Amino acid sequence: MGEMNDAACMADGFDKIQKLPDPVPGCPNFRRVPGFKVYCCGQPTIAGFENVLNKVCGDTYPKDGPIIWFNLRQEPDVYVNGEPICARPPNKIGEYAELGDITRDIQKANEEEFLKVCEKRKTENGGKLKAVDINKKELEFEVKELKSLSQVIEGLKEKFPGLVHWRVPVCNSAAPLPADSDIICKTS
């Protein structure tokens, strides 16, 4: 994606994001692939992760059983007060980012760097972080808690010890690369 210092902070959640019936709180557009134990959703809040994992496990599937979570996003996410904020090129607010050849390692490094950038911006702004929504409306959050996606996933493993998180960053406008498809198929 380039330099995280230049990235805009964009709120992942927005008004009217939920398009499907039967919403799961904090987990936009949660749905199941018919006939399979495969589920999809938008970027959840921290509470949304737990809500959807509880729903998927229900009363029959063990919370310590294997659960594979694929993150197909190219851009990194951090969580501000439990809400997801992603790094975006300033010219890609409110549209698909289409970041090019992003690998798992690049995405993970970008997440770590974006967390540092957000921490620095918060410190320089008196404990507040500036962001925009998908309509480019300016937002400002008083930061009480700032976590990377990796930290969120590690925290979830306390209640769901079988949870495995795989990053497979794919482009929105094209089919996954053969290597990405291989990762998904071999993991499942």
Side-chain angles (χ1 to χ4, degrees):
M1 184 177 136
E3 290 295 316
M4 289 296 109
N5 284 328
D6 300 329
C9 294
M10 188 181 88
D12 272 331
F14 56 90
D15 203 24
K16 300 186 182 177
I17 190 173
Q18 183 67 40
K19 302 291 184 195
L20 301 176
D22 305 318
V24 174
C27 189
N29 298 312
F30 173 75
R31 64 236 183 243
R32 181 177 179 178
V33 176
F36 299 92
K37 292 192 183 239
V38 175
Y39 306 88
C40 309
C41 65
Q43 191 69 35
T45 63
I46 291 178
F49 269 113
E50 190 166 338
N51 291 340
V52 78
L53 289 168
N54 281 322
K55 181 175 178 76
V56 168
C57 290
D59 294 329
T60 56
Y61 192 79
K63 289 182 173 37
D64 61 350
I67 302 167
I68 302 169
W69 190 290
F70 288 107
N71 181 336
L72 304 182
R73 294 188 75 163
Q74 290 187 314
E75 68 271 50
D77 260 307
V78 296
Y79 282 78
V80 176
N81 306 331
E83 299 291 325
I85 303 286
C86 69
R88 282 293 177 98
N91 65 335
K92 296 287 185 178
I93 302 300
E95 59 185 77
Y96 291 125
E98 304 296 346
L99 303 176
D101 190 21
I102 301 292
T103 65
R104 178 234 177 262
D105 292 337
I106 291 170
Q107 209 265 6
K108 173 71 173 155
N110 282 346
E111 177 187 290
E112 292 170 1
E113 185 61 27
F114 186 52
L115 180 66
K116 291 175 189 173
V117 166
C118 289
E119 185 65 48
K120 181 180 178 206
R121 289 178 184 175
K122 175 197 85 163
T123 301
E124 291 172 350
N125 195 36
K128 296 180 180 178
L129 183 67
K130 293 182 181 185
V132 293
D133 69 10
I134 64 162
N135 297 310
K136 302 177 185 170
K137 177 184 170 195
E138 292 187 9
L139 308 168
E140 190 170 63
F141 302 96
E142 183 177 343
V143 180
K144 297 174 183 151
E145 178 184 64
L146 180 62
K147 292 183 175 186
S148 68
L149 175 59
S150 296
Q151 291 168 330
V152 171
I153 296 294
E154 287 306 309
L156 289 164
K157 288 180 180 181
E158 293 172 15
K159 291 185 180 177
F160 302 91
L163 179 63
V164 177
H165 181 242
W166 279 89
R167 296 172 193 270
V168 187
V170 298
C171 179
N172 285 310
S173 65
L177 297 173
D180 297 333
S181 295
D182 290 345
I183 290 169
I184 293 170
C185 291
K186 288 177 184 175
T187 304
S188 304

